[in-house]
Amino acid sequence: MKLQHKVALVTGSSQGIGLGIARRLAEEGADVVLNSRKEDEQARDAVAQVRALGRRACFIAADVGSVADCRRLVTQAVEQMGRIDILVNNAGIQAHAAFLDADEADYDQVLDVNLRGPFFLCQAFARHLRDSGRGGRIINNSSVHEELPFPNFSSYCASKGGLKMLMRNLAIELAPLGITVNNVAPGAIETPINSELMNEPDKLGQLLDNIPAGRLGQPRDVAGAVAFLASDDAGYVTGTTLVVDGGLLWNYSEQ
Ligand SMILES: NC(=O)c1ccc[n+]([C@@H]2O[C@H](COP(=O)([O-])OP(=O)(O)OC[C@H]3O[C@@H](n4cnc5c(N)ncnc54)[C@H](O)[C@@H]3O)[C@@H](O)[C@H]2O)c1
């Protein structure tokens, strides 16, 4: 087990990729703090899934779009688990709007959750590590859209592009503290965020034609990459993006 004696905080882990990451890190031996905005049945079930793997797990409700919540999340995670070694900034949202119609509320929501939240979570986490004299791992769940334009999702692309540069900058600033900072960039993964797409066979077919691997990704595909970046094997890997997309990024075209 690669992550024994480690504690991971995974934001947005009540479902989808985040839950897949929480489960995989637990399989590797880590104890896990799960999070989403509210503690509902789904959140309790996610915690139960991690505990069933034999690890300690707790749930902390927090809106990562709020800086105050981000700081409280890190403080409470440390209080409840004793420490955090691995931060996975996974929570993310998207808003569909042509650029000419996009409104301020959508822009604020997407940028707050996808970029401002990770910025201040990284800060609170890095301060915790500095104060405890230990190194650690930051892994951001970005997207192929940190590179690839996505018409009608300009706020999403701006947030993920920003996350790419935040990651590169922090890799340099936090290296002296023994903290590595990397992104995973998923392509099209089968999760609730894509439920509309899953119900549109024509659109789904077009997308699959653009994925050389010939299938959508699964949360476990992304989780495996996160587990690697969180492990000692990746101790000299920092400032990089690991693309997990079945070849989509270099093979994509809008119809
Ligand atoms: N599914 C894909 O195809 C895909 C592709 C590339 C990148 N991603 C990225 O992966 C991440 C997870 O996506 P997913 O597909 O699992 O999405 P999802 O919608 O299935 O899950 C998102 C999770 O984040 C939580 N969340 C949403 N807003 C939050 C907030 N303000 N505070 C705390 N938690 C919040 C939700 O409750 C949920 O647990 C996102 O950052 C997304 O941009 C997804």
Side-chain angles (χ1 to χ4, degrees):
M1 290 218 269
K2 292 187 164 174
L3 301 176
Q4 234 167 354
H5 311 302
K6 304 286 187 198
V7 178
L9 165 58
V10 185
T11 67
S13 42
S14 62
Q15 65 174 34
I17 297 172
L19 176 55
I21 292 169
R23 288 179 51 97
R24 178 61 197 268
L25 298 184
E27 283 167 8
E28 296 291 344
D31 295 330
V32 185
V33 180
L34 294 99
N35 151 266
S36 67
R37 268 166 307 182
K38 59 179 193 296
E39 183 162 4
D40 52 14
E41 203 46 51
Q42 192 181 38
R44 282 188 283 275
D45 179 62
V47 171
Q49 287 188 43
V50 173
R51 288 188 181 146
L53 294 165
R55 306 311 316 167
R56 286 193 306 151
C58 68
F59 180 86
I60 299 173
D63 179 351
V64 306
S66 148
V67 175
D69 272 23
C70 289
R71 292 179 174 144
R72 177 179 56 78
L73 175 56
V74 170
T75 302
Q76 288 185 348
V78 172
E79 277 168 10
Q80 293 193 32
M81 302 300 254
R83 58 194 278 170
I84 320 173
D85 304 285
I86 301 157
L87 168 66
V88 183
N89 283 308
N90 168 77
I93 56 171
Q94 59 187 31
H96 178 276
F99 176 68
L100 292 177
D101 302 329
D103 65 26
E104 194 178 343
D106 280 351
Y107 174 92
D108 283 347
Q109 221 193 350
V110 172
L111 271 289
D112 284 356
V113 174
N114 294 9
L115 186 57
R116 201 163 73 125
F119 186 104
F120 286 99
L121 279 163
C122 287
Q123 186 186 62
F125 175 60
R127 286 175 176 169
H128 160 64
L129 291 179
R130 178 200 58 193
D131 294 347
S132 49
R134 290 180 291 111
R137 298 276 189 272
I138 295 173
I139 300 140
N140 303 310
N141 192 358
S142 168
S143 166
V144 287
H145 298 298
E146 70 166 46
E147 287 292 342
L148 185 71
F150 190 12
N152 302 312
F153 289 88
S154 44
S155 59
Y156 185 75
C157 289
S159 72
K160 298 299 188 179
L163 198 53
K164 177 179 71 178
M165 284 313 298
L166 176 65
M167 173 275 289
R168 290 181 180 173
N169 224 65
L170 298 191
I172 296 169
E173 276 196 62
L174 300 181
L177 295 175
I179 303 170
T180 67
V181 190
N182 294 288
N183 283 7
V184 287
I189 311 297
E190 198 173 330
T191 72
I193 212 174
N194 285 324
S195 51
E196 265 179 45
L197 174 73
M198 309 303 290
N199 293 324
E200 292 183 59
D202 287 352
K203 260 189 154 177
L204 183 59
Q206 271 175 22
L207 174 61
L208 287 173
D209 286 346
N210 279 316
I211 302 176
R215 66 169 177 91
L216 294 177
Q218 297 297 321
R220 66 174 172 276
D221 294 312
V222 183
V226 172
F228 163 67
L229 290 171
S231 74
D232 286 348
D233 288 341
Y236 202 57
V237 179
T238 196
T240 197
T241 295
L242 182 44
V243 178
V244 184
D245 72 343
L248 175 147
L249 178 58
W250 302 125
N251 192 52
Y252 186 83
S253 67
E254 279 292 322
Q255 299 297 314

